[in-house]
Amino acid sequence: MSGSVLVVDDDADVRALVAELLTRAGYEVAQAANGREALKLLFDERPDLIVLDVSMPELDGWATLERIRELSDVPVMMLTALGAELEKVRALRAGADDYMTKPFGRQELLARVESLLRRAPTREVRDTYRDGQLEVDFSQRRVRAGDRPIELTPLEFRLLTAFVDNPGQLLAHDQLLELAWGAERGSSRVGYLRRKLAAAGVPAESIETVRGFGYRYVPG
């Protein structure tokens, strides 16, 4: 097995057990005792999968998952002592990719981790996009306006990718969501993206609103 897994649980015994199982199976493992530590390690370690406990003090699993989904599309498997169907539905609707109830079988845990990592999409290697106002490095997920870097969340990066892949083309609201989020549905972050581009000197009108229809990216 290969891949990196971040294990998040405030119970040191459970955390150590899961980490030991994954390490013995050949995975690289990082550990976090709470949600805030997990979010920091998300940036530092860039894990391929997160195993996330629900019941934690301060920032619980639900709040941590919500923040993770604002920042990343990394697969997340929730762990909880609550086995009710509604809890499982809540986890999946909140953006989790899988859900396991404590106590769990060791072989089942490893099988689910392997399945999630196997299903995770491989990042496509693409050339850098450039026009008169933007440079988008797809392999490094970096965006620049001239010599100024623009920090985007993964969702905003996918949104910008949809625009630069279709320059000058009118994208309807539903079409834009499909291009940026695939099968997922959520609120559009066009306003956030506009503000970040404008702060780097890219004119706000570069992303044109066509009322009643959608948006259009106008290259510089």
PDB file of all heavy atoms in Angstrom, residues 67-103:
ATOM      1  N   ARG A  67     -14.758  22.928   7.211  1.00  0.00           N
ATOM      2  CA  ARG A  67     -13.587  23.745   6.879  1.00  0.00           C
ATOM      3  C   ARG A  67     -12.702  23.042   5.870  1.00  0.00           C
ATOM      4  O   ARG A  67     -12.177  23.680   4.940  1.00  0.00           O
ATOM      5  CB  ARG A  67     -12.810  24.047   8.168  1.00  0.00           C
ATOM      6  CG  ARG A  67     -11.614  24.944   7.971  1.00  0.00           C
ATOM      7  CD  ARG A  67     -12.007  26.288   7.427  1.00  0.00           C
ATOM      8  NE  ARG A  67     -10.877  27.172   7.280  1.00  0.00           N
ATOM      9  CZ  ARG A  67     -10.762  28.098   6.335  1.00  0.00           C
ATOM     10  NH1 ARG A  67     -11.727  28.254   5.455  1.00  0.00           N
ATOM     11  NH2 ARG A  67      -9.705  28.875   6.286  1.00  0.00           N
ATOM     12  N   ILE A  68     -12.544  21.732   6.009  1.00  0.00           N
ATOM     13  CA  ILE A  68     -11.743  20.971   5.047  1.00  0.00           C
ATOM     14  C   ILE A  68     -12.330  21.113   3.651  1.00  0.00           C
ATOM     15  O   ILE A  68     -11.605  21.330   2.678  1.00  0.00           O
ATOM     16  CB  ILE A  68     -11.680  19.480   5.446  1.00  0.00           C
ATOM     17  CG1 ILE A  68     -10.787  19.293   6.679  1.00  0.00           C
ATOM     18  CG2 ILE A  68     -11.148  18.620   4.299  1.00  0.00           C
ATOM     19  CD1 ILE A  68     -10.843  17.895   7.261  1.00  0.00           C
ATOM     20  N   ARG A  69     -13.652  21.031   3.549  1.00  0.00           N
ATOM     21  CA  ARG A  69     -14.281  21.099   2.228  1.00  0.00           C
ATOM     22  C   ARG A  69     -14.193  22.486   1.612  1.00  0.00           C
ATOM     23  O   ARG A  69     -14.331  22.638   0.398  1.00  0.00           O
ATOM     24  CB  ARG A  69     -15.744  20.645   2.328  1.00  0.00           C
ATOM     25  CG  ARG A  69     -15.872  19.125   2.370  1.00  0.00           C
ATOM     26  CD  ARG A  69     -15.418  18.514   1.039  1.00  0.00           C
ATOM     27  NE  ARG A  69     -15.215  17.071   1.135  1.00  0.00           N
ATOM     28  CZ  ARG A  69     -14.035  16.492   1.200  1.00  0.00           C
ATOM     29  NH1 ARG A  69     -12.933  17.218   1.203  1.00  0.00           N
ATOM     30  NH2 ARG A  69     -13.929  15.187   1.260  1.00  0.00           N
ATOM     31  N   GLU A  70     -13.973  23.507   2.408  1.00  0.00           N
ATOM     32  CA  GLU A  70     -13.726  24.840   1.860  1.00  0.00           C
ATOM     33  C   GLU A  70     -12.321  24.948   1.281  1.00  0.00           C
ATOM     34  O   GLU A  70     -12.051  25.802   0.436  1.00  0.00           O
ATOM     35  CB  GLU A  70     -13.901  25.902   2.953  1.00  0.00           C
ATOM     36  CG  GLU A  70     -15.334  26.071   3.427  1.00  0.00           C
ATOM     37  CD  GLU A  70     -15.427  27.054   4.569  1.00  0.00           C
ATOM     38  OE1 GLU A  70     -14.366  27.520   5.041  1.00  0.00           O
ATOM     39  OE2 GLU A  70     -16.553  27.360   5.001  1.00  0.00           O
ATOM     40  N   LEU A  71     -11.428  24.081   1.754  1.00  0.00           N
ATOM     41  CA  LEU A  71     -10.019  24.188   1.399  1.00  0.00           C
ATOM     42  C   LEU A  71      -9.539  23.103   0.452  1.00  0.00           C
ATOM     43  O   LEU A  71      -8.579  23.306  -0.290  1.00  0.00           O
ATOM     44  CB  LEU A  71      -9.155  24.134   2.674  1.00  0.00           C
ATOM     45  CG  LEU A  71      -9.424  25.197   3.728  1.00  0.00           C
ATOM     46  CD1 LEU A  71      -8.703  24.832   5.020  1.00  0.00           C
ATOM     47  CD2 LEU A  71      -8.974  26.556   3.229  1.00  0.00           C
ATOM     48  N   SER A  72     -10.184  21.944   0.473  1.00  0.00           N
ATOM     49  CA  SER A  72      -9.616  20.804  -0.234  1.00  0.00           C
ATOM     50  C   SER A  72     -10.708  19.801  -0.604  1.00  0.00           C
ATOM     51  O   SER A  72     -11.763  19.742   0.027  1.00  0.00           O
ATOM     52  CB  SER A  72      -8.565  20.113   0.659  1.00  0.00           C
ATOM     53  OG  SER A  72      -8.095  18.920   0.077  1.00  0.00           O
ATOM     54  N   ASP A  73     -10.420  18.991  -1.627  1.00  0.00           N
ATOM     55  CA  ASP A  73     -11.310  17.890  -1.993  1.00  0.00           C
ATOM     56  C   ASP A  73     -10.699  16.541  -1.616  1.00  0.00           C
ATOM     57  O   ASP A  73     -11.045  15.501  -2.174  1.00  0.00           O
ATOM     58  CB  ASP A  73     -11.640  17.927  -3.490  1.00  0.00           C
ATOM     59  CG  ASP A  73     -10.387  18.063  -4.355  1.00  0.00           C
ATOM     60  OD1 ASP A  73      -9.270  17.943  -3.805  1.00  0.00           O
ATOM     61  OD2 ASP A  73     -10.520  18.283  -5.564  1.00  0.00           O
ATOM     62  N   VAL A  74      -9.779  16.536  -0.643  1.00  0.00           N
ATOM     63  CA  VAL A  74      -9.160  15.306  -0.171  1.00  0.00           C
ATOM     64  C   VAL A  74     -10.242  14.367   0.361  1.00  0.00           C
ATOM     65  O   VAL A  74     -11.195  14.799   1.005  1.00  0.00           O
ATOM     66  CB  VAL A  74      -8.117  15.616   0.935  1.00  0.00           C
ATOM     67  CG1 VAL A  74      -8.760  16.297   2.129  1.00  0.00           C
ATOM     68  CG2 VAL A  74      -7.391  14.355   1.380  1.00  0.00           C
ATOM     69  N   PRO A  75     -10.151  13.055   0.081  1.00  0.00           N
ATOM     70  CA  PRO A  75     -11.141  12.116   0.628  1.00  0.00           C
ATOM     71  C   PRO A  75     -11.130  12.122   2.157  1.00  0.00           C
ATOM     72  O   PRO A  75     -10.076  12.186   2.781  1.00  0.00           O
ATOM     73  CB  PRO A  75     -10.676  10.757   0.083  1.00  0.00           C
ATOM     74  CG  PRO A  75      -9.849  11.076  -1.125  1.00  0.00           C
ATOM     75  CD  PRO A  75      -9.192  12.381  -0.825  1.00  0.00           C
ATOM     76  N   VAL A  76     -12.323  12.044   2.752  1.00  0.00           N
ATOM     77  CA  VAL A  76     -12.468  12.046   4.212  1.00  0.00           C
ATOM     78  C   VAL A  76     -13.348  10.883   4.639  1.00  0.00           C
ATOM     79  O   VAL A  76     -14.449  10.702   4.102  1.00  0.00           O
ATOM     80  CB  VAL A  76     -13.094  13.368   4.713  1.00  0.00           C
ATOM     81  CG1 VAL A  76     -13.334  13.301   6.224  1.00  0.00           C
ATOM     82  CG2 VAL A  76     -12.207  14.552   4.366  1.00  0.00           C
ATOM     83  N   MET A  77     -12.850  10.100   5.606  1.00  0.00           N
ATOM     84  CA  MET A  77     -13.656   9.037   6.213  1.00  0.00           C
ATOM     85  C   MET A  77     -13.925   9.419   7.665  1.00  0.00           C
ATOM     86  O   MET A  77     -12.995   9.668   8.427  1.00  0.00           O
ATOM     87  CB  MET A  77     -12.946   7.683   6.160  1.00  0.00           C
ATOM     88  CG  MET A  77     -13.768   6.564   6.792  1.00  0.00           C
ATOM     89  SD  MET A  77     -13.118   4.919   6.436  1.00  0.00           S
ATOM     90  CE  MET A  77     -11.575   4.964   7.343  1.00  0.00           C
ATOM     91  N   MET A  78     -15.200   9.473   8.042  1.00  0.00           N
ATOM     92  CA  MET A  78     -15.590   9.851   9.391  1.00  0.00           C
ATOM     93  C   MET A  78     -15.604   8.624  10.297  1.00  0.00           C
ATOM     94  O   MET A  78     -16.016   7.533   9.888  1.00  0.00           O
ATOM     95  CB  MET A  78     -16.979  10.491   9.389  1.00  0.00           C
ATOM     96  CG  MET A  78     -17.152  11.665   8.452  1.00  0.00           C
ATOM     97  SD  MET A  78     -16.214  13.125   8.960  1.00  0.00           S
ATOM     98  CE  MET A  78     -17.221  13.718  10.333  1.00  0.00           C
ATOM     99  N   LEU A  79     -15.175   8.814  11.548  1.00  0.00           N
ATOM    100  CA  LEU A  79     -15.268   7.793  12.592  1.00  0.00           C
ATOM    101  C   LEU A  79     -16.162   8.321  13.702  1.00  0.00           C
ATOM    102  O   LEU A  79     -15.996   9.457  14.141  1.00  0.00           O
ATOM    103  CB  LEU A  79     -13.892   7.476  13.177  1.00  0.00           C
ATOM    104  CG  LEU A  79     -12.877   6.744  12.307  1.00  0.00           C
ATOM    105  CD1 LEU A  79     -11.587   6.530  13.090  1.00  0.00           C
ATOM    106  CD2 LEU A  79     -13.419   5.407  11.819  1.00  0.00           C
ATOM    107  N   THR A  80     -17.103   7.498  14.176  1.00  0.00           N
ATOM    108  CA  THR A  80     -17.995   7.946  15.243  1.00  0.00           C
ATOM    109  C   THR A  80     -18.553   6.760  16.009  1.00  0.00           C
ATOM    110  O   THR A  80     -18.630   5.641  15.482  1.00  0.00           O
ATOM    111  CB  THR A  80     -19.155   8.781  14.677  1.00  0.00           C
ATOM    112  OG1 THR A  80     -20.011   9.178  15.739  1.00  0.00           O
ATOM    113  CG2 THR A  80     -19.951   7.985  13.676  1.00  0.00           C
ATOM    114  N   ALA A  81     -18.935   7.005  17.249  1.00  0.00           N
ATOM    115  CA  ALA A  81     -19.579   5.976  18.057  1.00  0.00           C
ATOM    116  C   ALA A  81     -21.075   5.906  17.769  1.00  0.00           C
ATOM    117  O   ALA A  81     -21.756   4.999  18.233  1.00  0.00           O
ATOM    118  CB  ALA A  81     -19.354   6.257  19.535  1.00  0.00           C
ATOM    119  N   LEU A  82     -21.595   6.849  16.997  1.00  0.00           N
ATOM    120  CA  LEU A  82     -23.017   6.896  16.684  1.00  0.00           C
ATOM    121  C   LEU A  82     -23.272   6.179  15.363  1.00  0.00           C
ATOM    122  O   LEU A  82     -22.757   6.578  14.326  1.00  0.00           O
ATOM    123  CB  LEU A  82     -23.490   8.353  16.587  1.00  0.00           C
ATOM    124  CG  LEU A  82     -23.278   9.200  17.856  1.00  0.00           C
ATOM    125  CD1 LEU A  82     -23.674  10.639  17.592  1.00  0.00           C
ATOM    126  CD2 LEU A  82     -24.072   8.626  19.017  1.00  0.00           C
ATOM    127  N   GLY A  83     -24.091   5.122  15.441  1.00  0.00           N
ATOM    128  CA  GLY A  83     -24.315   4.323  14.244  1.00  0.00           C
ATOM    129  C   GLY A  83     -25.661   4.534  13.596  1.00  0.00           C
ATOM    130  O   GLY A  83     -26.037   3.790  12.695  1.00  0.00           O
ATOM    131  N   ALA A  84     -26.408   5.549  14.024  1.00  0.00           N
ATOM    132  CA  ALA A  84     -27.735   5.791  13.456  1.00  0.00           C
ATOM    133  C   ALA A  84     -27.632   6.164  11.981  1.00  0.00           C
ATOM    134  O   ALA A  84     -26.675   6.814  11.546  1.00  0.00           O
ATOM    135  CB  ALA A  84     -28.438   6.906  14.223  1.00  0.00           C
ATOM    136  N   GLU A  85     -28.627   5.747  11.217  1.00  0.00           N
ATOM    137  CA  GLU A  85     -28.631   6.012   9.775  1.00  0.00           C
ATOM    138  C   GLU A  85     -28.575   7.500   9.471  1.00  0.00           C
ATOM    139  O   GLU A  85     -27.881   7.931   8.540  1.00  0.00           O
ATOM    140  CB  GLU A  85     -29.872   5.401   9.130  1.00  0.00           C
ATOM    141  CG  GLU A  85     -29.921   5.606   7.612  1.00  0.00           C
ATOM    142  CD  GLU A  85     -31.174   5.032   6.992  1.00  0.00           C
ATOM    143  OE1 GLU A  85     -32.026   4.499   7.741  1.00  0.00           O
ATOM    144  OE2 GLU A  85     -31.307   5.118   5.759  1.00  0.00           O
ATOM    145  N   LEU A  86     -29.283   8.308  10.274  1.00  0.00           N
ATOM    146  CA  LEU A  86     -29.296   9.746  10.028  1.00  0.00           C
ATOM    147  C   LEU A  86     -27.912  10.359  10.187  1.00  0.00           C
ATOM    148  O   LEU A  86     -27.566  11.322   9.494  1.00  0.00           O
ATOM    149  CB  LEU A  86     -30.296  10.438  10.965  1.00  0.00           C
ATOM    150  CG  LEU A  86     -31.775  10.186  10.663  1.00  0.00           C
ATOM    151  CD1 LEU A  86     -32.645  10.899  11.691  1.00  0.00           C
ATOM    152  CD2 LEU A  86     -32.131  10.653   9.254  1.00  0.00           C
ATOM    153  N   GLU A  87     -27.094   9.808  11.105  1.00  0.00           N
ATOM    154  CA  GLU A  87     -25.736  10.299  11.268  1.00  0.00           C
ATOM    155  C   GLU A  87     -24.908  10.007  10.021  1.00  0.00           C
ATOM    156  O   GLU A  87     -24.111  10.839   9.574  1.00  0.00           O
ATOM    157  CB  GLU A  87     -25.085   9.667  12.502  1.00  0.00           C
ATOM    158  CG  GLU A  87     -25.595  10.197  13.818  1.00  0.00           C
ATOM    159  CD  GLU A  87     -25.223  11.658  14.016  1.00  0.00           C
ATOM    160  OE1 GLU A  87     -24.022  11.986  13.990  1.00  0.00           O
ATOM    161  OE2 GLU A  87     -26.139  12.486  14.189  1.00  0.00           O
ATOM    162  N   LYS A  88     -25.086   8.828   9.456  1.00  0.00           N
ATOM    163  CA  LYS A  88     -24.360   8.468   8.239  1.00  0.00           C
ATOM    164  C   LYS A  88     -24.777   9.364   7.073  1.00  0.00           C
ATOM    165  O   LYS A  88     -23.940   9.835   6.300  1.00  0.00           O
ATOM    166  CB  LYS A  88     -24.604   7.001   7.895  1.00  0.00           C
ATOM    167  CG  LYS A  88     -24.099   6.034   8.946  1.00  0.00           C
ATOM    168  CD  LYS A  88     -24.406   4.594   8.567  1.00  0.00           C
ATOM    169  CE  LYS A  88     -23.928   3.632   9.648  1.00  0.00           C
ATOM    170  NZ  LYS A  88     -24.203   2.217   9.303  1.00  0.00           N
ATOM    171  N   VAL A  89     -26.075   9.593   6.968  1.00  0.00           N
ATOM    172  CA  VAL A  89     -26.580  10.463   5.896  1.00  0.00           C
ATOM    173  C   VAL A  89     -26.034  11.872   6.074  1.00  0.00           C
ATOM    174  O   VAL A  89     -25.618  12.522   5.095  1.00  0.00           O
ATOM    175  CB  VAL A  89     -28.123  10.471   5.897  1.00  0.00           C
ATOM    176  CG1 VAL A  89     -28.654  11.535   4.942  1.00  0.00           C
ATOM    177  CG2 VAL A  89     -28.658   9.100   5.518  1.00  0.00           C
ATOM    178  N   ARG A  90     -26.015  12.344   7.310  1.00  0.00           N
ATOM    179  CA  ARG A  90     -25.483  13.689   7.580  1.00  0.00           C
ATOM    180  C   ARG A  90     -24.030  13.792   7.145  1.00  0.00           C
ATOM    181  O   ARG A  90     -23.621  14.784   6.538  1.00  0.00           O
ATOM    182  CB  ARG A  90     -25.609  14.003   9.063  1.00  0.00           C
ATOM    183  CG  ARG A  90     -25.057  15.378   9.438  1.00  0.00           C
ATOM    184  CD  ARG A  90     -25.111  15.610  10.945  1.00  0.00           C
ATOM    185  NE  ARG A  90     -24.539  16.899  11.302  1.00  0.00           N
ATOM    186  CZ  ARG A  90     -24.361  17.323  12.548  1.00  0.00           C
ATOM    187  NH1 ARG A  90     -24.721  16.561  13.562  1.00  0.00           N
ATOM    188  NH2 ARG A  90     -23.834  18.517  12.783  1.00  0.00           N
ATOM    189  N   ALA A  91     -23.237  12.773   7.454  1.00  0.00           N
ATOM    190  CA  ALA A  91     -21.822  12.787   7.097  1.00  0.00           C
ATOM    191  C   ALA A  91     -21.636  12.828   5.587  1.00  0.00           C
ATOM    192  O   ALA A  91     -20.836  13.619   5.072  1.00  0.00           O
ATOM    193  CB  ALA A  91     -21.127  11.560   7.681  1.00  0.00           C
ATOM    194  N   LEU A  92     -22.372  11.999   4.871  1.00  0.00           N
ATOM    195  CA  LEU A  92     -22.217  11.952   3.417  1.00  0.00           C
ATOM    196  C   LEU A  92     -22.690  13.250   2.767  1.00  0.00           C
ATOM    197  O   LEU A  92     -22.065  13.746   1.822  1.00  0.00           O
ATOM    198  CB  LEU A  92     -22.984  10.754   2.851  1.00  0.00           C
ATOM    199  CG  LEU A  92     -22.482   9.384   3.327  1.00  0.00           C
ATOM    200  CD1 LEU A  92     -23.394   8.272   2.820  1.00  0.00           C
ATOM    201  CD2 LEU A  92     -21.049   9.145   2.850  1.00  0.00           C
ATOM    202  N   ARG A  93     -23.758  13.814   3.283  1.00  0.00           N
ATOM    203  CA  ARG A  93     -24.256  15.070   2.718  1.00  0.00           C
ATOM    204  C   ARG A  93     -23.337  16.237   3.040  1.00  0.00           C
ATOM    205  O   ARG A  93     -23.298  17.226   2.306  1.00  0.00           O
ATOM    206  CB  ARG A  93     -25.668  15.349   3.237  1.00  0.00           C
ATOM    207  CG  ARG A  93     -26.735  14.467   2.600  1.00  0.00           C
ATOM    208  CD  ARG A  93     -28.115  14.778   3.117  1.00  0.00           C
ATOM    209  NE  ARG A  93     -29.136  14.051   2.369  1.00  0.00           N
ATOM    210  CZ  ARG A  93     -30.419  14.015   2.705  1.00  0.00           C
ATOM    211  NH1 ARG A  93     -30.835  14.678   3.778  1.00  0.00           N
ATOM    212  NH2 ARG A  93     -31.283  13.332   1.989  1.00  0.00           N
ATOM    213  N   ALA A  94     -22.599  16.125   4.155  1.00  0.00           N
ATOM    214  CA  ALA A  94     -21.681  17.198   4.543  1.00  0.00           C
ATOM    215  C   ALA A  94     -20.377  17.152   3.754  1.00  0.00           C
ATOM    216  O   ALA A  94     -19.563  18.059   3.878  1.00  0.00           O
ATOM    217  CB  ALA A  94     -21.380  17.110   6.041  1.00  0.00           C
ATOM    218  N   GLY A  95     -20.180  16.108   2.965  1.00  0.00           N
ATOM    219  CA  GLY A  95     -18.984  16.046   2.134  1.00  0.00           C
ATOM    220  C   GLY A  95     -18.036  14.929   2.473  1.00  0.00           C
ATOM    221  O   GLY A  95     -16.973  14.816   1.858  1.00  0.00           O
ATOM    222  N   ALA A  96     -18.388  14.069   3.440  1.00  0.00           N
ATOM    223  CA  ALA A  96     -17.543  12.914   3.747  1.00  0.00           C
ATOM    224  C   ALA A  96     -17.661  11.893   2.619  1.00  0.00           C
ATOM    225  O   ALA A  96     -18.689  11.803   1.946  1.00  0.00           O
ATOM    226  CB  ALA A  96     -17.951  12.290   5.072  1.00  0.00           C
ATOM    227  N   ASP A  97     -16.611  11.113   2.429  1.00  0.00           N
ATOM    228  CA  ASP A  97     -16.607  10.091   1.384  1.00  0.00           C
ATOM    229  C   ASP A  97     -16.967   8.716   1.926  1.00  0.00           C
ATOM    230  O   ASP A  97     -17.360   7.832   1.163  1.00  0.00           O
ATOM    231  CB  ASP A  97     -15.229  10.047   0.723  1.00  0.00           C
ATOM    232  CG  ASP A  97     -14.880  11.354   0.049  1.00  0.00           C
ATOM    233  OD1 ASP A  97     -15.233  11.519  -1.125  1.00  0.00           O
ATOM    234  OD2 ASP A  97     -14.263  12.222   0.698  1.00  0.00           O
ATOM    235  N   ASP A  98     -16.818   8.518   3.237  1.00  0.00           N
ATOM    236  CA  ASP A  98     -17.170   7.244   3.855  1.00  0.00           C
ATOM    237  C   ASP A  98     -17.391   7.484   5.345  1.00  0.00           C
ATOM    238  O   ASP A  98     -17.083   8.553   5.874  1.00  0.00           O
ATOM    239  CB  ASP A  98     -16.064   6.208   3.628  1.00  0.00           C
ATOM    240  CG  ASP A  98     -16.577   4.775   3.746  1.00  0.00           C
ATOM    241  OD1 ASP A  98     -17.755   4.585   4.118  1.00  0.00           O
ATOM    242  OD2 ASP A  98     -15.797   3.840   3.475  1.00  0.00           O
ATOM    243  N   TYR A  99     -17.920   6.456   6.031  1.00  0.00           N
ATOM    244  CA  TYR A  99     -18.343   6.593   7.421  1.00  0.00           C
ATOM    245  C   TYR A  99     -18.184   5.246   8.098  1.00  0.00           C
ATOM    246  O   TYR A  99     -18.663   4.239   7.592  1.00  0.00           O
ATOM    247  CB  TYR A  99     -19.818   7.024   7.412  1.00  0.00           C
ATOM    248  CG  TYR A  99     -20.431   7.330   8.752  1.00  0.00           C
ATOM    249  CD1 TYR A  99     -20.647   8.637   9.138  1.00  0.00           C
ATOM    250  CD2 TYR A  99     -20.846   6.318   9.608  1.00  0.00           C
ATOM    251  CE1 TYR A  99     -21.256   8.944  10.354  1.00  0.00           C
ATOM    252  CE2 TYR A  99     -21.431   6.601  10.831  1.00  0.00           C
ATOM    253  CZ  TYR A  99     -21.637   7.906  11.189  1.00  0.00           C
ATOM    254  OH  TYR A  99     -22.230   8.203  12.391  1.00  0.00           O
ATOM    255  N   MET A 100     -17.478   5.203   9.239  1.00  0.00           N
ATOM    256  CA  MET A 100     -17.323   3.973  10.001  1.00  0.00           C
ATOM    257  C   MET A 100     -17.732   4.202  11.448  1.00  0.00           C
ATOM    258  O   MET A 100     -17.467   5.256  12.018  1.00  0.00           O
ATOM    259  CB  MET A 100     -15.878   3.469   9.963  1.00  0.00           C
ATOM    260  CG  MET A 100     -15.516   2.752   8.684  1.00  0.00           C
ATOM    261  SD  MET A 100     -14.041   1.727   8.887  1.00  0.00           S
ATOM    262  CE  MET A 100     -14.663   0.454   9.987  1.00  0.00           C
ATOM    263  N   THR A 101     -18.375   3.187  12.026  1.00  0.00           N
ATOM    264  CA  THR A 101     -18.841   3.271  13.400  1.00  0.00           C
ATOM    265  C   THR A 101     -17.868   2.559  14.331  1.00  0.00           C
ATOM    266  O   THR A 101     -17.389   1.461  14.026  1.00  0.00           O
ATOM    267  CB  THR A 101     -20.233   2.620  13.525  1.00  0.00           C
ATOM    268  OG1 THR A 101     -21.122   3.230  12.594  1.00  0.00           O
ATOM    269  CG2 THR A 101     -20.778   2.783  14.925  1.00  0.00           C
ATOM    270  N   LYS A 102     -17.557   3.192  15.460  1.00  0.00           N
ATOM    271  CA  LYS A 102     -16.744   2.563  16.498  1.00  0.00           C
ATOM    272  C   LYS A 102     -17.636   1.645  17.355  1.00  0.00           C
ATOM    273  O   LYS A 102     -18.774   2.008  17.631  1.00  0.00           O
ATOM    274  CB  LYS A 102     -16.106   3.615  17.401  1.00  0.00           C
ATOM    275  CG  LYS A 102     -15.205   4.616  16.704  1.00  0.00           C
ATOM    276  CD  LYS A 102     -14.743   5.648  17.721  1.00  0.00           C
ATOM    277  CE  LYS A 102     -13.918   6.747  17.115  1.00  0.00           C
ATOM    278  NZ  LYS A 102     -13.525   7.782  18.108  1.00  0.00           N
ATOM    279  N   PRO A 103     -17.108   0.506  17.817  1.00  0.00           N
ATOM    280  CA  PRO A 103     -15.805  -0.076  17.468  1.00  0.00           C
ATOM    281  C   PRO A 103     -15.826  -0.645  16.056  1.00  0.00           C
ATOM    282  O   PRO A 103     -16.868  -1.081  15.578  1.00  0.00           O
ATOM    283  CB  PRO A 103     -15.634  -1.173  18.513  1.00  0.00           C
ATOM    284  CG  PRO A 103     -17.035  -1.574  18.855  1.00  0.00           C
ATOM    285  CD  PRO A 103     -17.857  -0.321  18.772  1.00  0.00           C
TER     286      PRO A 103
END
